[in-house]
Amino acid sequence: MTGSRVDALLSGARFGQFVSVGVVGALSDNAVLATLNLVFGVPELWAKAAGVETAIVVMFLVNEHWTFAGQGAAGRVPFLKRLGKSHLVRSGGVAVQLTVYWFLVTYIDFKLLVFGTDLWFLAASPIAIGVAMSLNYVFESLFTWEVHTGDPR
């Protein structure tokens, strides 16, 4: 059983897809973060939290229809269960990401000035995303889509 889990996680194609989806999520996250903070003046951490939630939903939908398209049962109820599991599973990654982000913008004394505006908060975001990504891949693969069971949709 453990071997099948490791084999399922080591799928290079699936990991590549997951990372590609992560890029889409990171773009969604940073777009919301930048818009809320720079346009609407929402504090960075709140804007980041909204960006993370947007990214989770976007990434779930892309993963559902591409990365893990052959996994899990069909139908509305199984879909909603996977969405709930995805949020639950990603809560660990979100906690890691927000903690790393908070640390970077609070304790790292760095300025990234672009046309007189400090954009360090935007540069810190992909760093935090990268730290949380591997955690998310393992837990999403094993618990949300249960890739090690081999149950096709």
Side-chain angles (χ1 to χ4, degrees):
M1 175 92 93
T2 302
S4 66
R5 288 178 187 213
V6 171
D7 291 342
L9 290 174
L10 294 178
S11 167
R14 184 180 294 124
F15 183 74
Q17 287 175 307
F18 192 83
V19 170
S20 297
V21 172
V23 169
V24 171
L27 292 172
S28 302
D29 182 339
N30 278 354
V32 170
L33 171 61
T35 302
L36 289 178
N37 182 265
L38 295 173
V39 177
F40 296 105
V42 174
E44 292 167 6
L45 199 55
W46 288 105
K48 177 63 177 165
V52 167
E53 178 59 24
T54 300
I56 288 172
V57 172
V58 167
M59 290 185 301
F60 172 81
L61 292 172
V62 177
N63 277 325
E64 173 76 7
H65 297 290
W66 184 46
T67 311
F68 301 100
Q71 302 298 135
R76 183 173 299 172
V77 172
F79 171 84
L80 291 174
K81 283 183 180 179
R82 283 190 298 278
L83 179 60
K85 276 186 186 180
S86 182
H87 271 77
L88 182 62
V89 165
R90 286 187 180 263
S91 65
V94 168
V96 167
Q97 185 181 157
L98 290 176
T99 300
V100 170
Y101 180 79
W102 170 79
F103 177 82
L104 290 173
V105 298
T106 304
Y107 291 106
I108 303 298
D109 188 24
F110 186 77
K111 298 238 184 273
L112 180 62
L113 294 176
V114 177
F115 301 115
T117 301
D118 183 8
L119 297 181
W120 169 236
F121 75 99
L122 282 177
S125 180
I127 296 168
I129 289 167
V131 171
M133 183 199 71
S134 59
L135 179 72
N136 286 336
Y137 175 70
V138 169
F139 286 99
E140 285 279 44
S141 294
L142 296 179
F143 297 108
T144 302
W145 283 279
E146 300 176 3
V147 296
H148 57 286
T149 64
D151 289 337
R153 194 182 291 237

